[in-house]
PDB file of all heavy atoms in Angstrom:
ATOM      1  N   ASN A1261     -17.761 -35.068 184.608  1.00 85.00           N
ATOM      2  CA  ASN A1261     -17.483 -33.906 183.760  1.00 85.00           C
ATOM      3  C   ASN A1261     -16.410 -33.041 184.397  1.00 85.00           C
ATOM      4  O   ASN A1261     -16.261 -33.008 185.614  1.00 85.00           O
ATOM      5  CB  ASN A1261     -18.749 -33.066 183.561  1.00 85.00           C
ATOM      6  CG  ASN A1261     -19.840 -33.866 182.904  1.00 85.00           C
ATOM      7  OD1 ASN A1261     -19.558 -34.827 182.191  1.00 85.00           O
ATOM      8  ND2 ASN A1261     -21.089 -33.502 183.172  1.00 85.00           N
ATOM      9  N   ILE A1262     -15.730 -32.300 183.540  1.00 88.00           N
ATOM     10  CA  ILE A1262     -14.571 -31.536 184.005  1.00 88.00           C
ATOM     11  C   ILE A1262     -14.936 -30.528 185.095  1.00 88.00           C
ATOM     12  O   ILE A1262     -14.151 -30.282 186.005  1.00 88.00           O
ATOM     13  CB  ILE A1262     -13.832 -30.869 182.821  1.00 88.00           C
ATOM     14  CG1 ILE A1262     -12.486 -30.331 183.280  1.00 88.00           C
ATOM     15  CG2 ILE A1262     -14.670 -29.764 182.175  1.00 88.00           C
ATOM     16  CD1 ILE A1262     -11.450 -30.255 182.195  1.00 88.00           C
ATOM     17  N   GLU A1263     -16.146 -29.993 185.048  1.00 87.00           N
ATOM     18  CA  GLU A1263     -16.556 -29.008 186.055  1.00 87.00           C
ATOM     19  C   GLU A1263     -16.571 -29.624 187.453  1.00 87.00           C
ATOM     20  O   GLU A1263     -16.520 -28.917 188.454  1.00 87.00           O
ATOM     21  CB  GLU A1263     -17.961 -28.455 185.776  1.00 87.00           C
ATOM     22  CG  GLU A1263     -18.151 -27.790 184.434  1.00 87.00           C
ATOM     23  CD  GLU A1263     -18.302 -28.789 183.300  1.00 87.00           C
ATOM     24  OE1 GLU A1263     -18.944 -29.828 183.495  1.00 87.00           O
ATOM     25  OE2 GLU A1263     -17.725 -28.537 182.220  1.00 87.00           O
ATOM     26  N   ASN A1264     -16.712 -30.936 187.512  1.00 89.00           N
ATOM     27  CA  ASN A1264     -16.797 -31.589 188.818  1.00 89.00           C
ATOM     28  C   ASN A1264     -15.475 -32.241 189.234  1.00 89.00           C
ATOM     29  O   ASN A1264     -15.434 -33.012 190.181  1.00 89.00           O
ATOM     30  CB  ASN A1264     -17.923 -32.630 188.804  1.00 89.00           C
ATOM     31  CG  ASN A1264     -18.191 -33.192 190.187  1.00 89.00           C
ATOM     32  OD1 ASN A1264     -18.262 -32.438 191.162  1.00 89.00           O
ATOM     33  ND2 ASN A1264     -18.318 -34.504 190.298  1.00 89.00           N
ATOM     34  N   LEU A1265     -14.405 -31.933 188.525  1.00 91.00           N
ATOM     35  CA  LEU A1265     -13.143 -32.608 188.827  1.00 91.00           C
ATOM     36  C   LEU A1265     -12.083 -31.617 189.273  1.00 91.00           C
ATOM     37  O   LEU A1265     -12.091 -30.463 188.851  1.00 91.00           O
ATOM     38  CB  LEU A1265     -12.648 -33.346 187.578  1.00 91.00           C
ATOM     39  CG  LEU A1265     -13.602 -34.392 187.008  1.00 91.00           C
ATOM     40  CD1 LEU A1265     -13.068 -34.910 185.689  1.00 91.00           C
ATOM     41  CD2 LEU A1265     -13.804 -35.548 187.979  1.00 91.00           C
ATOM     42  N   HIS A1266     -11.206 -32.055 190.130  1.00 92.00           N
ATOM     43  CA  HIS A1266     -10.048 -31.237 190.483  1.00 92.00           C
ATOM     44  C   HIS A1266      -8.851 -32.139 190.772  1.00 92.00           C
ATOM     45  O   HIS A1266      -9.007 -33.335 190.997  1.00 92.00           O
ATOM     46  CB  HIS A1266     -10.342 -30.270 191.639  1.00 92.00           C
ATOM     47  CG  HIS A1266     -10.846 -30.908 192.883  1.00 92.00           C
ATOM     48  ND1 HIS A1266     -11.095 -30.211 194.032  1.00 92.00           N
ATOM     49  CD2 HIS A1266     -11.157 -32.191 193.162  1.00 92.00           C
ATOM     50  CE1 HIS A1266     -11.535 -31.030 194.957  1.00 92.00           C
ATOM     51  NE2 HIS A1266     -11.579 -32.215 194.470  1.00 92.00           N
ATOM     52  N   ALA A1267      -7.662 -31.531 190.714  1.00 93.00           N
ATOM     53  CA  ALA A1267      -6.439 -32.267 190.998  1.00 93.00           C
ATOM     54  C   ALA A1267      -6.098 -32.074 192.470  1.00 93.00           C
ATOM     55  O   ALA A1267      -6.073 -30.950 192.968  1.00 93.00           O
ATOM     56  CB  ALA A1267      -5.305 -31.756 190.113  1.00 93.00           C
ATOM     57  N   LEU A1268      -5.870 -33.172 193.168  1.00 92.00           N
ATOM     58  CA  LEU A1268      -5.506 -33.082 194.593  1.00 92.00           C
ATOM     59  C   LEU A1268      -4.257 -33.913 194.856  1.00 92.00           C
ATOM     60  O   LEU A1268      -4.062 -34.967 194.234  1.00 92.00           O
ATOM     61  CB  LEU A1268      -6.639 -33.617 195.477  1.00 92.00           C
ATOM     62  CG  LEU A1268      -7.927 -32.802 195.607  1.00 92.00           C
ATOM     63  CD1 LEU A1268      -8.852 -33.508 196.590  1.00 92.00           C
ATOM     64  CD2 LEU A1268      -7.655 -31.386 196.079  1.00 92.00           C
ATOM     65  N   CYS A1269      -3.429 -33.448 195.794  1.00 90.00           N
ATOM     66  CA  CYS A1269      -2.311 -34.267 196.237  1.00 90.00           C
ATOM     67  C   CYS A1269      -2.866 -35.346 197.158  1.00 90.00           C
ATOM     68  O   CYS A1269      -4.000 -35.249 197.621  1.00 90.00           O
ATOM     69  CB  CYS A1269      -1.259 -33.416 196.938  1.00 90.00           C
ATOM     70  SG  CYS A1269      -1.737 -32.873 198.588  1.00 90.00           S
ATOM     71  N   GLU A1270      -2.063 -36.362 197.435  1.00 85.00           N
ATOM     72  CA  GLU A1270      -2.553 -37.491 198.233  1.00 85.00           C
ATOM     73  C   GLU A1270      -3.083 -37.059 199.593  1.00 85.00           C
ATOM     74  O   GLU A1270      -4.135 -37.502 200.042  1.00 85.00           O
ATOM     75  CB  GLU A1270      -1.426 -38.503 198.436  1.00 85.00           C
ATOM     76  CG  GLU A1270      -1.335 -39.519 197.327  1.00 85.00           C
ATOM     77  CD  GLU A1270      -0.111 -40.402 197.470  1.00 85.00           C
ATOM     78  OE1 GLU A1270       0.999 -39.871 197.298  1.00 85.00           O
ATOM     79  OE2 GLU A1270      -0.270 -41.581 197.776  1.00 85.00           O
ATOM     80  N   GLU A1271      -2.317 -36.179 200.228  1.00 87.00           N
ATOM     81  CA  GLU A1271      -2.685 -35.748 201.567  1.00 87.00           C
ATOM     82  C   GLU A1271      -4.035 -35.033 201.569  1.00 87.00           C
ATOM     83  O   GLU A1271      -4.902 -35.301 202.396  1.00 87.00           O
ATOM     84  CB  GLU A1271      -1.612 -34.786 202.069  1.00 87.00           C
ATOM     85  CG  GLU A1271      -1.374 -34.817 203.544  1.00 87.00           C
ATOM     86  CD  GLU A1271      -0.178 -33.925 203.856  1.00 87.00           C
ATOM     87  OE1 GLU A1271       0.956 -34.311 203.476  1.00 87.00           O
ATOM     88  OE2 GLU A1271      -0.392 -32.864 204.431  1.00 87.00           O
ATOM     89  N   CYS A1272      -4.212 -34.113 200.622  1.00 88.00           N
ATOM     90  CA  CYS A1272      -5.472 -33.369 200.545  1.00 88.00           C
ATOM     91  C   CYS A1272      -6.632 -34.284 200.159  1.00 88.00           C
ATOM     92  O   CYS A1272      -7.748 -34.137 200.644  1.00 88.00           O
ATOM     93  CB  CYS A1272      -5.361 -32.210 199.552  1.00 88.00           C
ATOM     94  SG  CYS A1272      -4.310 -30.875 200.164  1.00 88.00           S
ATOM     95  N   ALA A1273      -6.354 -35.260 199.259  1.00 85.00           N
ATOM     96  CA  ALA A1273      -7.412 -36.170 198.825  1.00 85.00           C
ATOM     97  C   ALA A1273      -7.897 -37.005 200.009  1.00 85.00           C
ATOM     98  O   ALA A1273      -9.108 -37.157 200.226  1.00 85.00           O
ATOM     99  CB  ALA A1273      -6.917 -37.063 197.697  1.00 85.00           C
ATOM    100  N   VAL A1274      -6.968 -37.506 200.803  1.00 83.00           N
ATOM    101  CA  VAL A1274      -7.347 -38.332 201.953  1.00 83.00           C
ATOM    102  C   VAL A1274      -8.120 -37.491 202.977  1.00 83.00           C
ATOM    103  O   VAL A1274      -9.162 -37.888 203.484  1.00 83.00           O
ATOM    104  CB  VAL A1274      -6.104 -38.984 202.603  1.00 83.00           C
ATOM    105  CG1 VAL A1274      -6.451 -39.604 203.940  1.00 83.00           C
ATOM    106  CG2 VAL A1274      -5.512 -40.020 201.664  1.00 83.00           C
TER     107      VAL A1274
END
Side-chain angles (χ1 to χ4, degrees):
N1261 300 334
I1262 192 153
E1263 302 78 38
N1264 188 45
L1265 301 173
H1266 56 177
L1268 289 183
C1269 74
E1270 272 173 292
E1271 212 174 291
C1272 289
V1274 169

